[in-house]
Amino acid sequence: MERLESFRKYIILEQLDSGFGMQRTPGGFVRLEGNGEGIGISVQIKYIKEGTQPYTIIIIYDNDEELGIFRVGTLQVISGVASYRKFLDHATITSLNIKPERIKYILIASEHQDRVFIPLIGICKKEVPWDEVVRQRLIRKDKVVQKSQEKKPDIEEEKPSQVEEDYDRDLPYVNDIELENKLKESFEKMDPFSNPRHDYFWYRVNDIAKLSNLLYSCGVNIPLFANPRILVGLFKYRHLLAGFYRSDINDLNYFVLGVPAKDETDGKPFEKICLWVPTQNSEFGDMTGYWLVYINLKNGEFVR
């Protein structure tokens, strides 16, 4: 993507879903300000209630022939007032294929498991009215018609057990090819284990914000910033693992997140769905292994 020209644009935020006002109808604005280095985002809101779930700032944009969804960050509300600032560097907007002229909406959303409320919406192009299809794209449907028990593949095994699954056609699709291409472009490939496997591919992640944005853009929902043990692992050992497990034998296709830890007594980042795998690498001090968590790329669900 070529470097951006300098620009500044204000988008008015107006109420879409009612019931989120504090004494009066909430409102505000978003300022987008760009230059050759990237895009700055500034959000100012008044008269909005503190919700049971954090509000998420979401950019909806045209991404070639599909709809792009980028969750910018979480909005904190204090006494009905909220503000937020973030700068997206050139590498980030290039990896997500965000172009200012293609941004359609900016949403302030309250996302729940099976529904999404949108208290405020900013329409960037007045000739493009709000489309409820966007809300449906944000809702992650996780109803399973038939599902057999899944097993995490043991990294020491050569042939993981086969899993047969029958999913509802409405389940979300994870674009694993796009995700892998973006990981290749953004992070360094590495071999963290002493027994390299042809069915595992690993990348060394040192920018959790970039990883979070890439995962969201491809349909993988892992609450990276909300998990302090992931942040501790990254801070202490200066990296996370992101990778793939693929098996042609039994048609398994998983995204794998690895969180470094001192040993298996160190806190699990995901209590009941982690697999401890030891390793030896003097580069990372007293680290002796990784907690691995698997996400099924057929439906975006954690493998339990």
Side-chain angles (χ1 to χ4, degrees):
M1 180 185 291
E2 61 184 15
R3 295 279 174 173
L4 297 174
E5 296 182 359
S6 296
F7 75 96
R8 179 181 294 173
K9 182 175 183 178
Y10 288 85
I11 300 102
I12 301 300
L13 294 172
E14 299 178 307
Q15 179 175 272
L16 183 62
D17 294 339
S18 61
F20 292 86
M22 186 175 179
Q23 298 178 342
R24 55 186 294 184
T25 302
F29 69 89
V30 177
R31 183 179 68 191
L32 300 178
E33 193 165 7
N35 54 40
E37 301 302 318
I39 299 175
I41 301 172
S42 177
V43 180
Q44 299 288 335
I45 297 173
K46 290 183 178 180
Y47 311 116
I48 189 168
K49 287 182 180 178
E50 295 184 38
T52 57
Q53 296 287 336
Y55 296 108
T56 306
I57 304 166
I58 305 175
I59 293 177
I60 306 296
Y61 62 102
D62 286 322
N63 186 10
D64 295 330
E65 297 182 358
E66 61 182 9
L67 195 66
I69 299 173
F70 174 55
R71 290 169 172 82
V72 180
T74 301
L75 194 66
Q76 300 297 326
V77 179
I78 301 176
S79 300
V81 177
S83 62
Y84 182 90
R85 289 185 179 182
K86 186 170 185 175
F87 184 80
L88 306 178
D89 61 24
H90 183 265
T92 299
I93 62 177
T94 299
S95 67
L96 296 170
N97 197 27
I98 295 178
K99 297 181 180 179
E101 66 273 15
R102 292 187 177 183
I103 297 176
K104 300 177 68 174
Y105 314 108
I106 296 179
L107 311 179
I108 307 299
S110 178
E111 297 183 280
H112 301 258
Q113 183 175 0
D114 57 353
R115 54 184 175 172
V116 174
F117 297 103
I118 304 175
L120 293 169
I121 178 175
I123 299 178
C124 300
K125 299 179 180 179
K126 294 303 180 183
E127 67 273 15
V128 181
W130 169 246
D131 188 348
E132 277 294 323
V133 170
V134 176
R135 191 194 302 266
Q136 298 306 313
R137 285 288 306 275
L138 294 173
I139 297 174
R140 299 186 59 85
K141 298 181 180 179
D142 56 4
K143 182 179 178 181
V144 177
V145 177
Q146 294 179 0
K147 181 177 179 181
S148 60
Q149 183 69 28
E150 291 183 318
K151 178 186 175 184
K152 298 183 188 68
D154 188 336
I155 203 164
E156 300 296 333
E157 294 178 357
E158 288 300 323
K159 297 181 180 180
S161 300
Q162 184 172 1
V163 179
E164 295 182 356
E165 299 159 319
D166 182 14
Y167 294 101
D168 188 297
R169 69 179 62 184
D170 288 332
L171 285 170
Y173 170 74
V174 177
N175 192 333
D176 60 309
I177 302 301
E178 180 184 2
L179 176 57
E180 183 169 13
N181 288 336
K182 289 182 176 181
L183 287 174
K184 285 181 180 178
E185 294 171 359
S186 303
F187 302 112
E188 176 187 355
K189 202 167 183 178
M190 71 177 296
D191 180 14
F193 302 104
S194 58
N195 58 336
R197 295 268 299 270
H198 71 280
D199 46 0
Y200 279 90
F201 306 90
W202 299 106
Y203 298 89
R204 175 174 174 170
V205 174
N206 51 21
D207 187 335
I208 194 172
K210 183 178 291 187
L211 176 63
S212 180
N213 292 338
L214 293 182
L215 293 176
Y216 268 127
S217 70
C218 296
V220 180
N221 185 14
I222 306 177
L224 298 177
F225 288 103
N227 193 317
R229 289 172 180 171
I230 294 178
L231 299 177
V232 168
L234 174 63
F235 177 78
K236 188 174 181 180
Y237 299 110
R238 307 183 305 282
H239 77 291
L240 300 172
L241 286 183
F244 298 90
Y245 169 77
R246 292 190 175 97
S247 173
D248 296 332
I249 299 173
N250 45 30
D251 194 31
L252 296 180
N253 194 11
Y254 296 156
F255 173 80
V256 191
L257 177 71
V259 181
K262 181 178 180 180
D263 53 45
E264 58 186 314
T265 64
D266 214 351
K268 296 181 180 180
F270 298 90
E271 285 295 336
K272 297 181 180 180
I273 54 176
C274 286
L275 172 68
W276 173 255
V277 180
T279 186
Q280 293 181 352
N281 193 328
S282 58
E283 179 184 356
F284 303 118
D286 62 356
M287 186 199 84
T288 63
Y290 296 90
W291 288 111
L292 301 184
V293 61
Y294 291 75
I295 294 91
N296 191 326
L297 291 175
K298 290 182 179 178
N299 62 4
E301 293 183 346
F302 287 100
V303 179
R304 299 181 182 275

